[in-house]
Amino acid sequence: MKKVHYLYALSFVSAFLLFQIELIIAKIFLPRFGGSYLVWGACIVFFQFALLLGYLYSHVVIRKYGMYRYRYLHLILIILPLLFFPGRSLPEIVAHAGIPLVIDIFMQLSLTIGLAFFVLSTISIVTQSWLAHSELPESRNPFMLYAVSNVGSFMGLLSYPFLFEVYFDLDTQVAIWRILFFLFLLLYLVSLLTIDFTNREVPKLKIFDKSVFVRRHRLTDEAVRQKLYWFLLSAAGCVLFLSVTNVITYEIAPCPLLWIIPLCIYLLSFVLTFRDKPLYPKWITEKFHLVMGFSLLIFFFAQGRILPVSPQIIAFVLSLFALCMFCQHELYQSRPQEKNDLTGFYLIVSLGGFAGSVLVTWLAPGLFTSPLEFLLGLFMVGLSLSLKQGRSRVDFYDLRLMAYAVIFVIAWPLVFKKYNVFGVTMTLLAVGYIFKELDKKKTALCLCLLIILVLAPFVEDFWSTDGRVIRAYRNYYGIYKISAGPTVLKLMNGTTLHGAQYLTKDHVKRQEPLSYFHRKTPVGKVLSNNNFATKRIGVVGLGVGTLSAYGKTGEEMDFFELDPDIAVFVNIFDYLQNSRAKLNFFIDDARIALRKTPREHYDILIIDAFSGDSVPVHLLTTDAIREYKAHMKDQGLILFHISNRYLDLAPVLFSNARAVNAFALSAWNEQQGPALLASEWMALTWDRKISHTLVSQLQWKENASDLKKEMLRPWTDKYSNIPSVLQLNAFIDSIKNFKPFLW
């Protein structure tokens, strides 16, 4: 075995462990803090921040002590986590009342895995510096180790949902992770003993080169321009992959696991470019104007719902691949040639990635009402190109080209309301020619992208296919739009309908429940049936308050809603204001808020957090069901709304019901009108009489129709398996039914 292979293995294992612990710890945190996007967002930003600290630390100490000495110092740093984790068990993770969620998560992440994560984040730079200063023949290109590190990250990411999460619960995952950490420690010791150095002197280098900082007006300084170029490319790549994730999960198909695809593309671009002979298609650079124009059009096609689901996803993946390959290739081609500048290069790249993640994760939801961060990422790429080329004068011809670009990119749906091959072809050809001309002057290209970014928020009404948009709102939980059609008012979250109400002066008709909750649905029949007690009803998920229309005088309904900004759009609908029942509201995760209510309190508990396709798994585990049961009366009934385009959740609830000794039943209805939608429901009860009533009077099905449903392993807070219930037909059918040559 070659000596360099020890460094390859060390780099691979450390990156694999880094990504695995991210996913493991985030899954542990979700049930404790509530399964909101804020939990994921707080974890992601913490990981990026810890990674940046690791790069900064490595940059400082390696330049101060030299790699030969620092190897031994780093061994001490690797051993330190054994005093906490993985050397000891993870401490109990409990949300602390009175502390902001983000701060609480940061504190607990720091105390649980902070040191181990910090150590692992330094290995990529350490192994590359180690190789660069060694006597090995491979020292001429230490950047190969960065590609190996990204392969480790890639495998850590893909293996978790399709292997570790499928076959192992969280306790076993943590145990396997500990074993691999000790393997990582062993690999470091072997590398320390086998790899020699030719130069053992401590370099006399400044920790920070003054050229890193911009002082006075030294913007023309080549070193500053180079570092700013690295920063912009790194930030742009991160912004693009995160924004494509948002576009896919918000606007196209809010399906679990789809977020993996953009991240895999992002990591793969590093693997293919950071190597001796980069696997980089030259056409990306030679025809980059086409890549930029195509990416713009795909974004606006998605906003206008021009293409079916699968073709849109494929187009975005291809666009992201080309854009990320370009950014990483430019980074690799402009990398420093001096070995001592290597740590500074990665520090700036890490800083750009951190800035990009903060921009998309924390700032964009407050700045934009649609996923415009994708356009911002394209603008950042254009800005980096302009910086590389230098300032160029924008003349009248360039201004005309910019005007044409804006017209073709933004105004296309005003001419072609629906997809047709002629319209798409003409638009692609026109935009391709315009961007080819603009590409000659990068400043003009950059300005054109900026103009499109600024104008994009003002043209959303032109793209709406669901009527006039009267309110658009975005926060950390999603993108909401209220549209008014000829007869119906709708609340949309991306492509998912979250509620509707008739637009009429007839008070009785306006209070008629619609969408997934109309009177012909399973839940509508239960709430309208006098054989079920409805004095106290709990509802998880407020939507537009449709279920409150079933409330009667003397009844009480508790609504549990995670989104604190729900009033921004719910008050536009008047279901809640006109309900005859007494209404109470709890703004928190349902499992956390439910603990504040009395035990044996509810006659019916409705779990409606599944009408959106991004499923909060922690709300349907056996642990969650046992918590629900504690708050149900003896003849209580739990109803789960499981309508979903991409997941079949019925097998999960059948298996979970068997694990908690409950009767499980299923029912569904067909769509009966534009606002009377099809829906699927599951019921759980511990009372045989209630189960019999559902079957005999309302035609619910008591047994699973598919034998596989009886064999599914129950889901708990420590085990879930999304791939086992994924319905690929929804994606495949949209490809099969797509007619590309429609005129």
Side-chain angles (χ1 to χ4, degrees), residues 5 13 28 36 80 277 294 341 343 391 495 571 600 622 637 647 654 704:
H5 289 162
V13 172
I28 292 174
S36 75
L80 280 178
K277 296 180 179 179
F294 175 78
D341 293 334
T343 56
R391 295 180 182 178
T495 57
N571 290 338
E600 300 181 4
T622 55
L637 176 65
L647 300 177
F654 273 113

Side-chain angles (χ1 to χ4, degrees), residues 442-627:
K442 308 300 185 184
T443 302
L445 175 64
C446 185
L447 283 175
C448 181
L449 294 170
L450 179 60
I451 292 171
I452 292 174
L453 172 62
V454 172
L455 292 179
F458 302 101
V459 297
E460 290 185 19
D461 283 347
F462 294 114
W463 298 82
S464 175
T465 57
D466 297 312
R468 179 174 55 91
V469 176
I470 62 174
R471 186 66 186 270
Y473 184 77
R474 181 181 180 183
N475 62 7
Y476 300 107
Y477 300 93
I479 299 175
Y480 303 97
K481 294 179 182 178
I482 297 177
S483 60
T487 59
V488 177
L489 188 68
K490 295 181 180 180
L491 171 65
M492 301 293 297
N493 183 356
T495 57
T496 302
L497 178 67
H498 275 260
Q501 187 174 25
Y502 281 126
L503 281 172
T504 176
K505 294 181 179 180
D506 185 340
H507 178 76
V508 175
K509 185 176 182 180
R510 195 167 68 248
Q511 292 309 302
E512 189 66 21
L514 301 180
S515 65
Y516 306 104
F517 316 104
H518 62 86
R519 298 191 186 276
K520 298 296 183 180
T521 60
V523 67
K525 292 179 180 179
V526 169
L527 295 178
S528 302
N529 193 303
N530 294 327
N531 290 313
F532 300 98
T534 56
K535 187 176 181 181
R536 292 186 182 276
I537 300 174
V539 181
V540 176
L542 181 57
V544 300
T546 309
L547 287 171
S548 67
Y550 290 99
K552 305 179 184 69
T553 303
E555 295 181 349
E556 191 170 343
M557 301 183 77
D558 293 346
F559 285 91
F560 301 91
E561 174 57 46
L562 185 62
D563 190 345
D565 298 327
I566 191 74
V568 171
F569 45 85
V570 168
N571 290 338
I572 298 177
F573 300 80
D574 59 4
Y575 281 119
L576 298 176
Q577 294 89 323
N578 293 292
S579 177
R580 289 177 291 174
K582 179 184 177 182
L583 307 181
N584 305 307
F585 302 93
F586 297 84
I587 305 300
D588 205 342
D589 177 75
R591 287 181 62 176
I592 296 174
L594 196 63
R595 296 162 193 162
K596 303 173 185 177
T597 64
R599 298 175 73 85
E600 300 181 4
H601 185 63
Y602 295 108
D603 298 300
I604 296 177
L605 183 63
I606 302 172
I607 313 298
D608 181 39
F610 310 115
S611 56
D613 292 312
S614 183
V615 179
V617 170
H618 75 293
L619 291 182
L620 51 72
T621 63
T622 55
D623 305 82
I625 293 172
R626 290 188 179 96
E627 289 186 21

Side-chain angles (χ1 to χ4, degrees), residues 258-290:
L258 282 183
W259 64 271
I260 291 178
I261 298 175
L263 182 53
C264 287
I265 294 296
Y266 179 69
L267 294 174
L268 184 63
S269 65
F270 282 105
V271 174
L272 297 178
T273 54
F274 278 68
R275 46 186 294 149
D276 270 336
K277 296 180 179 179
L279 299 176
Y280 178 75
K282 291 183 179 180
W283 64 262
I284 294 179
T285 299
E286 295 171 353
K287 304 292 184 181
F288 190 68
H289 59 281
L290 294 179

